[in-house]
Amino acid sequence: MTAAAFDSGRLLAQLDEQWRQLGKSETGVLRACSMTLIAAAGAGRNPQELGATLAELMREHPSRTILLRVGQAGAPLETRTSIQCWMPFGRRQQICCEQIEIAAGLDSLSDVPPILFGLIVPDLPVALWCPDLDLALRPELRPVLALAGKVIIDSSCLPAAAQAWQEIQTLQGARRRLADLVWARLTRWRELLFQALSGRDQRHAPFKARITWAGEPFPPAAMYLAAWLVSRLGWQDQVKERVELACEDPAMPPPGSGRLRSLSLEGESCAIRLRRPAGEALAIEIDGVSAGALFPVFDDAALLREELGVPGFDQQFEQSLTFCPAVLEAAP
Amino acid sequence: MAGLGFTGQLTLDDPVRFDRAAPPAAIVIFGATGDLTRRKLLPALFRLAQERRLPATFAVLGVSRTPLSDDLFRQKMRESVETFLENSPFDADLWASFAQGLFYLDGDIGDPGLYQRLSDKLAWIETHRRTGGNVLFYLSTQPSHYGPAAAGLGAAGLARGPRPESWQRLLIEKPFGHDLASAQSLNATVQRHFQEDQIYRIDHYLGKETVQNILAFRFGNGIFEPLWNRRYVNHIQITAAESIGVEGRGGYYQEAGALRDMIQNHLLQVMATIAMEPPAVYEPAAVRDERAKLLRSIRIMTSAEAKLDSVAGQYGPGRAGGAQLAGFRQEPGVDPQAMTDTYAALTLFVENWRWAGVPFYVRSGKRLPKRVTDIAIQFNRAPLSLYDGEAAQNYPNLLVLRIQPEEGISLRFFSKLPGAGMRIRPVTMDFNYGTSFGVRTPSAYETLLLDALSGDATLYTRQDMVEASWRVVEPVLRCWQETHHGFPNYAAGSWGPAASDEMLARRGHIWRLP
């Protein structure tokens, strides 16, 4: 089937009709949209899980969602429109967002961008979530990447930081913002460290850090965390001397559970240790005072919620990226 | 160095991603076994811990007369948090960690010995919890204890920190006096021991997310501010209605009344937020300066004006929802001859170039038909109506900022009725704050506690603001003292006394039904 047979006008007309039908309901609906969110996923992704993630997102980031599912070569080009609603607790009006699903084979992928162009909500931001990194790198989807103000990837699918770094460099574009869910997974670590160091001046600054992880080889998460410390603490010329990087358990943990195990900072009058052996708890030790904190494993929806909440330039991520090459040189 | 701020402090902050968090500190709560602590403060602190807004190096020290051990205090507070924590499940593991930072000290606020023991306990807490010598003293006691507590803290040297970089702050609950003279006297007592920038006078209305949203709405958008003046605004109505009666607070309430309890503080602050000029920057001093300036610009009524532009009411028995409701004088603990105002309405004018001549109608009452707080800005009618019909005359554009219970904003405008002919009908465009963001909004106490701990006084009232508010209501209080009110003058479950409608009718206006 060619793209012409699936022109965007027809899909939008279908959606209009669905809205009209919904509008006849007694409770009434609120049509909510703050962006176009394109989710491009490979055939290996569980469609139910993808759907649940997108449905979860609509509460905080109501959007026109375009789910692009890329199957094997020869898979037919198909489209489907739907409207997803949720009823806030204690309210009588449903809040609804529209979703367009496009299924395409690898060989018909180049037909997709023209359809997508017509489906973008005018005057609102466009974000592209590409959980499969290899899909993001396909040349057929380059026009879609160019369209998106923000491209969200998840480099945790690559075990090695070195390989992740190569692909990140390929994806970085002049006009778009690149975001990595691995960076969003670090927010909790960074935030706890910020709180632990809060109020200290230079005299009590740490001069050495140690980061440990599970599973060989050196993971993207440890690369980002080290690069952030180097960037924020002004250690750019002494990465090797200041940051110790070590694998503490060569066995690879289950996917999604996180590979970072500990972060320690030492200074003349500063001893901070964050340790997360496994599970959802984190032990904190600040200058001899111990405490615990919850450290839930965030799913894709929670991480995307955070990323979509950062609409513009993410200064600290961008700055950290510039120190990744130095960290990779220091890595075991 | 990249990680150093202007003060030479390490700044690993990432404001784009991190939720604002409190620095290491101890909170000392005077009145730790009281209702406010149990219902609001501890649940709010626990929520802050749950949302990672409190550091591991944090402590709460409860002070009250009842002798309790630390463990017993923790147990009581756990029961309170389990009972009063809203919108989220209780997490026992998190509590175990949070409770390690809870401590208790018994003593009498009037006893100088208490403050020496407090000083020792704080020193111990600082060593063992690494609170950095930072202390927030929270006076959640009877107002008569504010002065003695401030004096006790000052005399024990607790108003100053152990190190120059540590801070000490004093947080005071309302009411700040019961008239201008007592407010000035309280301010003088407290300021003998604490500098004004150490004093945080809490008005929980300002902590409400939607009151803060007024500022975002006004100063974050370019399209409304040009209309926000006497040229386009006909009048403004501010309503804070409660459906409940005094609910066991009869003794306190009959001394206060609606004017003192609601209008002098909460609603005048809301009015200031609605009517103030844009601050040059969003910084505490700049925002508070503008609020204070507005409060000082409210015309002080003469006694003749007070008679015309204020209405006092008190509810009598009535029926609502099929139930018989007692009148105020029949409520437990209330004097059967009480002359307390359970309803108050004022017509206020702001004497500046923006608002000259625009009436601000402010009302608050108990036992009204529903619980609602909102601000309605009614715009002038179109200069020439092209369309016939009653609707075009009776429904001028109206912008309503709803504060509770359904926080949001709605704009009323005209639309053509479908079909042939040119008939128009008012319709509303609604924005619902809670449903549009789908996330829990923090309680006012969460916001205000975090602000005080972070040293952000934007949402706190200042001495000059408190005194300016008292100056506005004092002529009304004097007038009402000299007037014989025919109380009760409205039935429970109604929208207040007829005199209130007459007050608006004199200027050709009517109260909205919110």
XYZ file of all heavy atoms in Angstrom, chain B residues 24 170 207 234 260 349 386 397 429 431 438 447 498 510:
108
model
N 19.894 20.949 54.998
C 19.916 20.319 56.325
C 19.397 21.316 57.370
O 19.760 22.496 57.331
C 21.403 20.036 56.557
C 22.010 20.005 55.196
C 21.210 20.954 54.360
N 11.915 32.118 62.447
C 10.760 31.984 63.337
C 9.499 32.024 62.480
O 9.268 33.001 61.764
C 10.738 33.136 64.347
C 9.605 33.097 65.366
C 9.840 31.969 66.373
C 9.509 34.422 66.114
N -0.144 29.847 50.195
C 0.560 28.622 49.807
C -0.229 27.756 48.861
O 0.290 26.799 48.298
N -14.893 45.981 35.021
C -16.040 46.664 35.604
C -15.998 46.556 37.124
O -16.132 47.549 37.829
C -17.320 46.027 35.041
C -18.557 46.735 35.514
O -19.050 46.442 36.591
N -19.042 47.694 34.727
N -12.210 39.162 60.805
C -10.850 38.949 61.311
C -10.274 37.619 60.830
O -9.099 37.520 60.505
C -10.866 38.929 62.849
C -10.973 40.292 63.504
C -10.695 40.133 64.998
N -10.627 41.395 65.691
C -11.662 41.932 66.344
N -12.828 41.311 66.382
N -11.530 43.090 66.972
N -11.993 49.860 47.539
C -11.465 50.551 46.351
C -9.960 50.683 46.488
O -9.450 50.918 47.589
C -12.098 51.941 46.214
C -13.546 51.877 45.806
C -14.551 51.845 46.769
C -13.904 51.820 44.462
C -15.884 51.758 46.403
C -15.242 51.737 44.090
C -16.233 51.710 45.063
N -24.376 44.664 19.079
C -24.966 44.478 17.741
C -26.082 43.459 17.763
O -26.815 43.322 16.801
C -23.886 43.997 16.766
C -22.702 44.934 16.560
C -21.688 44.305 15.619
C -23.164 46.275 16.016
N -18.438 39.647 29.636
C -17.308 38.717 29.773
C -16.875 38.629 31.226
O -16.812 39.631 31.940
C -16.117 39.181 28.930
C -16.433 39.180 27.454
O -16.179 40.137 26.754
N -17.027 38.107 26.982
N -15.139 28.856 28.508
C -13.969 28.088 28.125
C -13.277 27.774 29.442
O -12.930 28.674 30.212
C -13.081 28.962 27.245
C -11.992 28.226 26.546
S -11.464 29.127 25.083
C -10.763 30.587 25.784
N -10.519 25.827 32.005
C -9.242 25.155 32.235
C -9.304 24.598 33.642
O -9.575 25.324 34.596
C -8.082 26.149 32.103
C -6.817 25.689 32.764
C -6.060 24.688 32.170
C -6.385 26.211 33.963
C -4.896 24.244 32.776
C -5.226 25.773 34.569
C -4.473 24.789 33.975
N -2.800 16.378 35.727
C -2.853 14.975 36.129
C -1.887 14.597 37.244
O -1.582 13.447 37.438
N 4.146 23.430 50.606
C 4.776 24.538 49.884
C 5.421 25.519 50.859
O 6.582 25.910 50.692
C 3.708 25.288 49.059
O 3.086 24.346 48.200
C 4.307 26.414 48.250
N -29.572 39.910 53.213
C -30.084 40.711 52.097
C -29.301 42.014 51.958
O -29.107 42.522 50.849
C -31.566 41.011 52.336
N -24.626 42.747 41.007
C -25.212 41.661 41.813
C -24.142 40.610 42.094
O -23.211 40.428 41.300
C -26.422 40.978 41.112
C -26.044 40.543 39.696
C -27.647 41.856 41.104
C -27.080 39.649 39.057
